[in-house]
Amino acid sequence: MRSIWNGAISFGLVSIPIKLVNATESHSISFRQIHTEDGGRIRYRKVCELEDREVSSAEIGKGYEDADGTIIPITEEDLSHLPLPTARTIEIVAFVPADRIDPLQMDAAYYLQAGGAPAAKPYTLLREALKRSHKVAIAKYALRGRERLGMLRVVGEAIAMHGLLWPDEVRAPEGVAPDTSVTVRDKELDLADALMDTLGEVDLDDLHDEYREAVEEVVAAKAAGETPPEAPAAPPSGKVLDLMAALEKSVRAAKESRGEEPEKASSGTGEETEQETESGAEVRHLSQRRSARAAPKGTGGKKSTSTATAKKSTATPRKSTAKTAKSTQPAKKATASKSTAEAKGTAATKSTAATKSTAKKSAAKKTTAKGPTAKKTAAKKTTARKRTA
C-alpha cells in the first residue's frame, strides 16, 4: 500500500519511524460532466480574474481572505517556520479507555506501518502495551496543513490511527429531540424488543452496497447496447397512524423474512384488528365490548330488566318462580298473587283459630278455679245466718 505521510511516533523518549497508509477506500462510482448534445467533457480551468487568463499550478499560491475581503498572501516558507512540534511526529499525549472516545469525533482511519527493521522492536512494544492495558492512545499530529487529533488502537497485529475531530468541532444536539411530551407504554417497548430480537444480529461482511451494484448493472447494459434493467417498484409507505400496528406488522414481516412462522393474533373479546387504508396508512379499531354493567336501566318506577329478576331469583329461591313469571308472563302474575293471598289467608285463619282456642281454655280454667271458691263462700254465709237466728 502506498504511504501518504512519513514520520515517527513519539512515545516518551522512544521514537518509532512509521509510514501513514489509508485504511479505507471508496468504491463509489464517479461520473464526469459532459455536454448533453455531443457528449463532450466539461472541464474547469483556473483563471485569474484580474488578468482574465488561465494560469498553471506553478503560478497558484495560498492566501487568507480577511473580513473586509482583503487577501493576505501566505507562502510555504511562512508555514514551514511555524512552531509546530507535530509537523512530522505523531505525539502521544495520553492513554484512556476506549469508551471515553465519542464516536461522533471519529474521522478518517489510517494504518501505521513500521518504517524499516529498526522500528520493529519499539513498534511491537507499543502494540503489546496497548493490548495489555485495554486502552487507546490519544495523539496529536499535523497533516495537510493543519494539526489534528488522533486515536491509536490495535487492529489485528497492526496499529491503526483514527483521526478525531476536536471537541469544539462536535455540535451539541440542540433542537433535535422532539419538543412534545410523549409517553411510551410498556406494551410498545415489548413489541420493540421483540422486533429487535427477531431482526437479531448480522455479520457486517454480508452487507453490501446494493445501489452501487445496480448502477454497475446499468452501466454494463448501456455499454453492451442493451436496455437497462428496471428497478423493482418500492412498496407504498403511508403515514403510520398507529405505532402498535406498525410494530406488530414489522415483527411479522421480520419473522417471515427469516423463515419463521409468525404468531397468529389471538381472537376474542377485546381483540384489536388492523386495517390498511387506500393510502397505505395503518388504522386500528377496537372491537366493542359488551358488559352487563353497561346495560341501561329503565326510567319507570318498576324495574323491567331481566338483570334485577335474575338477582332477586338468586337471592330468594322460593320467590324465583313468582318473580320470573312476573317479568316474562303477565298472565301468571294474578295466579301467583292469588296463591300468595290464599296462603296468607289460610295462615291468618289458623293463627286466629289458635288464638281463640287458647282464650277458651284460659276462660275454662278460670271458671273451674272459681267454682269451688264460690260454693265455699255461699256455705259460709248460710252457716253464719243460721247461727244468727
Side-chain angles (χ1 to χ4, degrees):
M1 292 184 286
R2 185 175 63 88
S3 63
I4 61 173
W5 185 86
N6 295 335
I9 299 175
S10 176
F11 179 32
L13 297 178
V14 179
S15 181
I16 309 172
I18 54 97
K19 296 179 179 180
L20 199 65
V21 179
N22 282 321
T24 61
E25 58 184 1
S26 176
H27 292 164
S28 61
I29 299 176
S30 59
F31 297 99
R32 305 294 185 185
Q33 291 183 334
I34 62 172
H35 189 200
T36 55
E37 292 185 0
D38 52 17
R41 287 281 303 275
I42 303 298
R43 299 184 182 275
Y44 293 93
R45 292 180 171 85
K46 298 176 181 179
V47 178
C48 175
E49 62 179 13
L50 296 179
E51 298 181 2
D52 195 19
R53 69 176 182 89
E54 185 178 356
V55 296
S56 62
S57 299
E59 299 177 87
I60 299 176
K62 295 179 180 179
Y64 176 79
E65 185 176 2
D66 204 355
D68 58 357
T70 304
I71 301 296
I72 304 173
I74 302 294
T75 64
E76 293 295 335
E77 184 179 1
D78 296 332
L79 298 176
S80 63
H81 293 294
L82 290 178
L84 188 63
T86 59
R88 286 290 174 182
T89 305
I90 299 176
E91 182 183 359
I92 297 178
V93 297
F95 293 89
V96 299
D99 57 3
R100 288 272 303 276
I101 306 300
D102 190 346
L104 288 174
Q105 289 185 252
M106 291 189 179
D107 200 359
Y110 308 93
Y111 288 131
L112 303 182
Q113 180 182 357
K121 179 76 175 200
Y123 185 96
T124 305
L125 174 63
L126 177 59
R127 182 191 66 195
E128 296 302 318
L130 290 173
K131 281 183 179 180
R132 190 167 69 174
S133 65
H134 301 287
K135 293 183 178 181
V136 296
I138 303 299
K140 295 170 68 176
Y141 65 101
L143 181 65
R144 297 188 179 97
R146 55 171 294 193
E147 189 174 45
R148 302 172 186 266
L149 193 64
M151 178 188 73
L152 277 64
R153 69 184 183 95
V154 178
V155 177
E157 297 299 320
I159 298 177
M161 182 175 70
H162 295 269
L164 299 179
L165 299 174
W166 296 99
D168 59 354
E169 293 179 325
V170 179
R171 301 171 63 183
E174 296 178 356
V176 178
D179 295 333
T180 57
S181 178
V182 178
T183 302
V184 179
R185 296 178 296 174
D186 291 339
K187 188 174 182 181
E188 294 171 341
L189 285 175
D190 294 340
L191 282 174
D193 291 340
L195 178 58
M196 293 168 62
D197 295 338
T198 304
L199 293 176
E201 298 181 356
V202 66
D203 187 358
L204 295 180
D205 293 334
D206 296 337
L207 302 179
H208 54 277
D209 189 351
E210 298 179 358
Y211 178 77
R212 177 175 59 85
E213 294 177 354
V215 172
E216 290 176 349
E217 292 179 0
V218 172
V219 172
K222 295 277 287 186
E226 301 175 355
T227 303
E230 295 183 359
S237 58
K239 181 180 179 181
V240 178
L241 299 180
D242 191 340
L243 183 59
M244 292 290 293
L247 287 172
E248 291 177 353
K249 191 172 182 180
S250 300
V251 171
R252 288 198 300 270
K255 288 185 177 181
E256 291 176 356
S257 64
R258 295 169 65 91
E260 299 179 7
E261 186 70 21
E263 298 179 0
K264 295 182 179 179
S266 59
S267 59
T269 305
E271 179 185 0
E272 296 179 348
T273 59
E274 293 181 7
Q275 181 181 2
E276 294 186 0
T277 61
E278 297 179 357
S279 61
E282 298 176 356
V283 182
R284 166 162 299 189
H285 300 284
L286 296 178
S287 58
Q288 296 180 352
R289 299 184 180 183
R290 297 180 179 177
S291 176
R293 297 180 179 179
K297 296 182 179 181
T299 57
K302 297 182 180 180
K303 295 182 180 179
S304 59
T305 58
S306 59
T307 304
T309 304
K311 288 183 178 179
K312 290 185 178 181
S313 62
T314 305
T316 310
R318 293 182 179 180
K319 295 181 181 181
S320 61
T321 305
K323 296 293 182 178
T324 306
K326 179 181 178 181
S327 60
T328 56
Q329 299 179 2
K332 293 182 179 181
K333 180 177 179 181
T335 305
S337 301
K338 290 180 179 180
S339 300
T340 305
E342 290 177 1
K344 290 182 178 179
T346 305
T349 304
K350 289 182 178 181
S351 177
T352 304
T355 303
K356 291 181 178 180
S357 175
T358 305
K360 288 181 179 180
K361 289 181 180 180
S362 300
K365 288 180 179 181
K366 290 181 179 179
T367 305
T368 306
K370 290 179 180 180
T373 305
K375 290 180 179 181
K376 288 181 179 180
T377 304
K380 287 181 178 180
K381 288 181 177 181
T382 305
T383 306
R385 288 176 181 175
K386 287 179 177 182
R387 288 178 181 177
T388 303

